[in-house]
Amino acid sequence: MADIVLINPRFETSYWGLEHAIRFLDAKALLPVASLPLIAALTPAGHRITIIDENVEEIDFDRCARADIVGLTGMNVQRLRMRSILTELKRRGVFTVVGGAWATVQEDDFKDLADVTFVGEAEETWPRFLAEWAERRHQRRYEQAERTDMATVPAPRLDLLPMKKYALGSVQFSRGCPFACEFCDIIVTFGRRPRIKTSAQVIAELEGLRAAGKLTAFIVDDNLIGNKKAVKALLRDLIAWQRANLYPMTFSTEASIDLAEDPELMQLMADANITQVFVGIETVNEEALRETKKIQNLRDRGGTMLEKVHRVQEAGIEVWCGLIVGFDHDDPGIFAAQRRFVQDARIVHAMVNMLVAIPRTPLYKRLEAEGRLDLSANFEGMGELGTNILPRGFSRDALRQGYVALMQDLYAPAAYFDRVDSLYLGLKMTPGRVKARARSRRPKLWLRTNARLLLEAVAILTMLMRGVPDPALRREYRRRMLRVLWRRRSPSVLQQYAIKCAMHFHVHTMVQQMLVQPRVEIEAKAVPDVAA
């Protein structure tokens, strides 16, 4: 039997990580890694399993040196830290295995450091590896021949994580996405046929989250509505569980914008208490959408993008979004167009990226064939360059400058909070309205719920007043909170508004750091159109 340590490396500061805000939310990290507790659950009885999440605790390398096997997972933004951890483990003579999103698309990145590499899903290959390792006949590389049947996946071992250190819980309903966006690695890793868990599996996992003290969870599916018929059935069972338990859980998730074309699905999500959805808007440039095969976002599929976003918001679900600049059909006007869209759409949280070609994606293969990949930046210098592609419409220098200016404009305090006010004071969105309605029939529970929300709002604002160094920002946060208190005396709105203040501080700090980053010497010319 093996002594196994599984490590989730520290993330670089990112939009999603909320590193600059997390202390105001009384947590060490936003949410736990989903893969390692699942790997632990797939491990046969008798093996000893320890999980180390470097985002909430330091790695004890002496402990790792005593283990029989040390495994690492990680995404693109963790790749450099993965290498440094593997380097230290190799120096200590530790037997190491590596898997996850980055190892799947760039498996050669760790071939000199890891003893075994796992590509893709590992529900079948991980137990097989352990059996072969015990017999001293393990392979160097494992890859499943078939996609995992999600109905067979066990509940993750949450008992191996310090759940109190996370702001949110995480749960997975399904894997896979039916679309074929050129830049996306999801279909490379999980395929285009969505596979979904049973209602019994999902509810058992939610009970596990409740037992661990987590009442808010992120549904980590890359596209929750990839199989609409199946997810509707699951949502109906989830609604029944929520109602029977007076709505203990609040959710956020990710979905494609064709959600707006299905009123029944939007209503089911709202009734399940899914209060926020992240949507890949990508761009307002329809030629760029066609270029990248993002057909589900086109105007002729249920109206304009703005109309679709407003439709989801009017159903009671806040929309967050991802935006990309640097498509072949973009020109310098794209930055102003993206900025106008975000403001008009009342989208508070827009994660903006420069286009990046991820290995094994159709985009990577196309640009490699066209000679438009900067392999020297792939992927070591991405922090300064921001992209490994040679764009057509402008130089990389102009692309980065436009990107930073766009982020600066979107997260200027006035612009950001005007969007918040448009949503919560203009549209009068109320987070968790179905939960509040269900609990209103129990006066004591209703009072406890609202008291907790008010206390959380006060606690977050108090910590912001003590922890934000810029007095102008502190004044803005106080002013905005007083305004919403005067206009809407809703505990859930006040709590959400306080969280919005903390999240603004995070992105504001990121933008300030972008503005002072040293300039790097990169090419001054755009790549000409090869068809010209």
Side-chain angles (χ1 to χ4, degrees):
M1 295 294 101
D3 178 13
I4 303 168
V5 175
L6 303 175
I7 298 175
N8 180 42
R10 182 178 63 245
F11 282 91
E12 300 294 326
T13 300
S14 68
Y15 178 94
W16 281 110
L18 295 182
E19 288 82 3
H20 300 298
I22 201 69
R23 68 183 187 275
F24 304 125
L25 305 179
D26 193 28
K28 293 284 188 182
L30 184 61
L31 73 165
V33 59
S35 57
L36 297 187
L38 176 55
I39 287 292
L42 292 164
T43 302
H47 296 288
R48 178 185 177 188
I49 296 279
T50 301
I51 296 178
I52 299 174
D53 184 352
E54 196 183 16
N55 297 283
V56 298
E57 60 184 320
E58 296 295 322
I59 297 174
D60 183 345
F61 283 101
D62 290 335
R63 165 73 183 90
C64 293
R66 295 192 299 271
D68 298 306
I69 301 168
V70 175
L72 271 77
T73 189
M75 298 186 289
N76 180 358
V77 293
Q78 294 168 289
R79 65 193 184 278
L80 300 181
R81 182 57 182 158
M82 290 175 74
R83 288 195 65 85
S84 64
I85 293 170
L86 286 167
T87 299
E88 175 61 19
L89 293 173
K90 184 174 182 179
R91 186 184 71 80
R92 292 169 177 258
V94 178
F95 182 92
T96 56
V97 302
V98 66
W102 185 245
T104 294
V105 298
Q106 190 78 344
E107 59 183 281
D108 290 344
D109 207 18
F110 308 114
K111 65 181 181 181
D112 57 331
L113 294 172
D115 295 287
V116 177
T117 299
F118 289 82
V119 176
E121 297 171 298
E123 279 79 10
E124 297 173 12
T125 52
W126 174 251
R128 177 154 56 90
F129 155 73
L130 289 175
E132 292 175 355
W133 174 86
E135 297 173 359
R136 300 181 183 275
R137 59 181 184 88
H138 66 271
Q139 304 167 43
R140 289 273 302 172
R141 180 185 185 276
Y142 288 85
E143 182 174 9
Q144 284 186 195
E146 303 293 335
R147 303 289 185 189
T148 296
D149 178 357
M150 295 300 288
T152 66
V153 173
R157 291 281 308 277
L158 299 183
D159 58 299
L160 297 177
L161 288 171
M163 294 297 290
K164 292 182 179 179
K165 295 183 179 181
Y166 299 99
L168 310 174
S170 63
V171 61
Q172 186 178 52
F173 289 10
S174 66
R175 290 182 194 160
C177 179
F179 300 111
C181 306
E182 186 187 39
F183 57 82
C184 186
D185 63 334
I186 298 306
I187 57 175
V188 173
T189 305
F190 295 127
R192 292 187 60 189
R193 184 177 64 84
R195 295 155 284 133
I196 195 164
K197 291 178 181 176
T198 66
S199 298
Q201 285 174 288
V202 169
I203 289 170
E205 291 188 33
L206 297 181
E207 292 287 7
L209 284 173
R210 286 181 70 191
K214 292 299 160 195
L215 304 181
T216 305
F218 185 69
I219 303 169
V220 300
D221 304 33
D222 296 292
N223 187 359
L224 176 67
I225 65 169
N227 183 334
K228 291 182 181 178
K229 181 180 179 181
V231 82
K232 284 180 181 180
L234 175 52
L235 287 171
R236 290 187 185 99
D237 290 338
L238 177 56
I239 291 166
W241 177 81
Q242 288 271 53
R243 287 173 176 164
N245 292 277
L246 294 175
Y247 280 84
M249 298 292 297
T250 300
F251 301 104
S252 54
T253 191
E254 302 178 60
S256 47
I257 194 60
D258 55 313
L259 167 65
E261 302 164 24
D262 194 327
E264 180 189 28
L265 183 52
M266 286 189 287
Q267 188 63 53
L268 287 170
M269 288 175 64
D271 288 347
N273 205 28
I274 296 175
T275 61
Q276 297 161 334
V277 61
F278 180 90
V279 173
I281 298 293
E282 318 311 359
T283 181
V284 296
N285 182 344
E286 292 222 340
E287 288 304 312
L289 289 174
R290 291 187 179 89
E291 162 200 327
T292 199
K293 298 180 175 58
K294 192 94 181 183
I295 58 171
Q296 65 271 29
N297 286 27
L298 292 172
R299 181 189 300 266
D300 58 359
R301 296 173 64 92
T304 67
M305 192 77 70
L306 191 63
E307 291 169 340
K308 294 175 186 178
V309 170
H310 284 172
R311 217 173 292 152
V312 178
Q313 293 168 337
E314 287 158 6
I317 304 171
E318 182 180 350
V319 175
W320 298 18
C321 82
L323 295 175
I324 297 174
V325 291
F327 289 110
D328 286 357
H329 286 84
D330 283 349
D331 60 33
I334 190 60
F335 306 107
Q338 300 277 51
R339 181 173 59 250
R340 284 193 302 271
F341 172 79
V342 172
Q343 293 298 136
D344 293 344
R346 302 180 296 223
I347 293 176
V348 178
H349 305 288
M351 183 182 71
V352 188
N353 285 305
M354 288 174 273
L355 184 65
V356 171
I358 300 173
R360 293 186 62 187
T361 60
L363 176 65
Y364 190 96
K365 294 173 182 177
R366 175 170 70 83
L367 295 184
E368 186 177 41
E370 294 177 8
R372 294 176 52 207
L373 288 178
D374 179 1
L375 298 179
S376 67
N378 192 32
F379 278 76
E380 301 304 318
M382 294 287 287
E384 286 113 10
L385 300 174
T387 178
N388 61 340
I389 72 167
L390 304 178
R392 282 207 175 123
F394 25 58
S395 68
R396 273 194 296 175
D397 191 26
L399 177 58
R400 186 183 186 281
Q401 288 183 48
Y403 159 75
V404 173
L406 174 59
M407 288 289 288
Q408 189 177 17
D409 289 346
L410 289 177
Y411 290 96
Y416 176 87
F417 285 107
D418 283 352
R419 298 196 300 275
V420 180
D421 288 348
S422 179
L423 198 62
Y424 287 95
L425 301 183
L427 186 61
K428 294 190 181 299
M429 179 172 282
T430 301
R433 62 186 180 184
V434 294
K435 176 178 180 176
R437 190 161 56 241
R439 294 190 170 195
S440 66
R441 304 183 188 97
R442 303 282 186 91
K444 289 184 179 179
L445 179 60
W446 182 85
L447 284 171
R448 284 201 304 271
T449 301
N450 284 324
R452 178 180 58 80
L453 292 170
L454 284 171
L455 286 172
E456 287 179 4
V458 171
I460 293 169
L461 183 61
T462 301
M463 287 189 284
L464 285 166
M465 294 305 100
R466 293 174 177 172
V468 172
D470 185 345
L473 270 185
R474 295 198 302 269
R475 285 194 299 272
E476 184 72 3
Y477 297 159
R478 285 196 304 269
R479 185 176 75 83
R480 296 285 184 162
M481 286 290 290
L482 287 171
R483 186 168 183 239
V484 76
L485 176 62
W486 179 256
R487 295 273 300 275
R488 292 199 67 190
R489 295 172 187 179
S490 162
S492 64
V493 171
L494 287 169
Q495 184 243 24
Q496 276 298 306
Y497 215 103
I499 292 172
K500 301 294 186 196
C501 290
M503 295 181 72
H504 173 265
F505 177 71
H506 169 66
V507 186
H508 171 83
T509 304
M510 285 181 59
V511 171
Q512 297 308 304
Q513 292 172 349
M514 291 177 194
L515 291 170
V516 299
Q517 276 184 350
R519 289 286 299 278
V520 292
E521 293 298 325
I522 53 181
E523 85 292 339
K525 295 181 180 179
V527 173
D529 191 326
V530 293

